[in-house]
Amino acid sequence: NAGVMQNPRHLVRRRGQEARLRCSPMKGHSHVYWYRQLPEEGLKFMVYLQKENIIDESGMPKERFSAEFPKEGPSILRIQQVVRGDSAAYFCASSPPRARGTEAFFGQGTRLTVV
Amino acid sequence: GQQLNQSPQSMFIQEGEDVSMNCTSSSIFNTWLWYKQDPGEGPVLLIALYKAGELTSNGRLTAQFGITRKDSFLNISASIPSDVGIYFCAGQLGSNYQLIWGAGTKLIIKP
């Protein structure tokens, strides 16, 4: 049973470009959480999704950021018109239905560098 | 926003020593979690605590959920080289699935 798969592991974008980060949850998991981590800091919650639904996006910037978790395929975190401040590690976690968020498993992250 | 104060920020220890780190908050948490993160990897859950006063062990690791529900500590006994990494505490408020994270404790083992 593969773990949470994120790709790419590393992504370099120029300012103004778009970044698309993908997350495939563990098999049987229908809940996905995205977190952002800046260097030397803990993770910060961004968004919680279930299949085809955004449950809570209170941690996500209102502009340029969006997330989806379609019926088929991976969850996507999309950052439009990236700026230097978007450089960070983005982690996805997944959990099975009816699980608490504490039972989520994390992927290896995507390290975004904006140049 | 909610904050967790995690200390120490870093620790330099000799192999074989015991390690202790803790997290405190001004808020009451229903769940305390301890994670370890290796360089270039995602966090891995070490111990989850769900009740005030709970003391839980996982091998050489022991963690406690403070009675006031505003703090937790993690102890590592007889440290070994593979213990190096960054340890994070995280707390959950009420039934909210969001995790509030500490800033981490970096564990370095002196050769």
Side-chain angles (χ1 to χ4, degrees):
Chain A
N1 187 12
V4 178
M5 304 299 292
Q6 288 188 250
N7 67 81
R9 291 291 304 276
H10 300 274
L11 182 61
V12 179
R13 283 287 177 266
R14 295 186 183 280
R15 280 178 294 171
Q17 290 185 319
E18 178 180 287
R20 290 172 71 89
L21 287 61
R22 285 176 288 277
C23 169
S24 295
M26 287 179 70
K27 188 176 179 181
H29 287 193
S30 57
H31 299 198
V32 165
Y33 312 81
W34 285 93
Y35 286 82
R36 176 163 64 177
Q37 184 180 33
L38 296 172
E40 310 296 320
E41 292 187 14
L43 279 66
K44 297 283 195 302
F45 170 80
M46 297 181 74
V47 61
Y48 164 37
L49 309 109
Q50 294 177 16
K51 285 281 188 183
E52 299 183 280
N53 279 309
I54 297 174
I55 307 301
D56 181 350
E57 56 184 347
S58 60
M60 201 152 67
K62 296 279 186 283
E63 296 178 357
R64 302 187 298 108
F65 285 72
S66 62
E68 63 177 10
F69 188 16
K71 189 176 179 181
E72 301 290 339
S75 175
I76 306 284
L77 179 67
R78 184 179 176 213
I79 311 172
Q80 295 178 290
Q81 298 170 354
V82 295
V83 300
R84 288 240 168 91
D86 296 333
S87 295
Y90 292 83
F91 290 95
C92 165
S94 74
S95 66
R98 296 180 297 282
R100 292 177 282 195
T102 52
E103 295 165 20
F105 293 85
F106 283 84
Q108 293 178 301
T110 294
R111 273 128 192 101
L112 172 66
T113 303
V114 179
V115 297
Chain B
Q2 305 293 340
Q3 269 194 308
L4 287 183
N5 299 309
Q6 186 171 350
S7 65
Q9 197 171 28
S10 59
M11 302 181 74
F12 292 79
I13 60 165
Q14 299 276 6
E15 183 178 347
E17 285 185 8
D18 295 344
V19 171
S20 186
M21 60 191 79
N22 68 82
C23 276
T24 61
S25 173
S26 57
S27 300
I28 291 174
F29 286 95
N30 280 5
T31 302
W32 282 95
L33 307 167
W34 285 93
Y35 286 86
K36 179 174 183 256
Q37 185 177 28
D38 291 325
E41 301 292 331
V44 174
L45 182 64
L46 299 173
I47 294 180
L49 302 157
Y50 298 106
K51 287 164 49 175
E54 181 180 354
L55 184 72
T56 297
S57 292
N58 178 7
R60 293 177 296 105
L61 278 60
T62 302
Q64 184 156 31
F65 193 144
I67 289 290
T68 65
R69 294 166 64 192
K70 293 183 178 181
D71 63 334
S72 177
F73 72 74
L74 174 71
N75 286 344
I76 305 172
S77 62
S79 57
I80 59 177
S82 61
D83 290 335
V84 300
I86 303 178
Y87 292 80
F88 289 96
C89 63
Q92 192 172 32
L93 294 164
S95 59
N96 191 335
Y97 41 79
Q98 293 186 25
L99 295 178
I100 313 296
W101 293 70
T105 294
K106 192 170 191 175
L107 184 61
I108 300 159
I109 295 184
K110 293 182 279 191

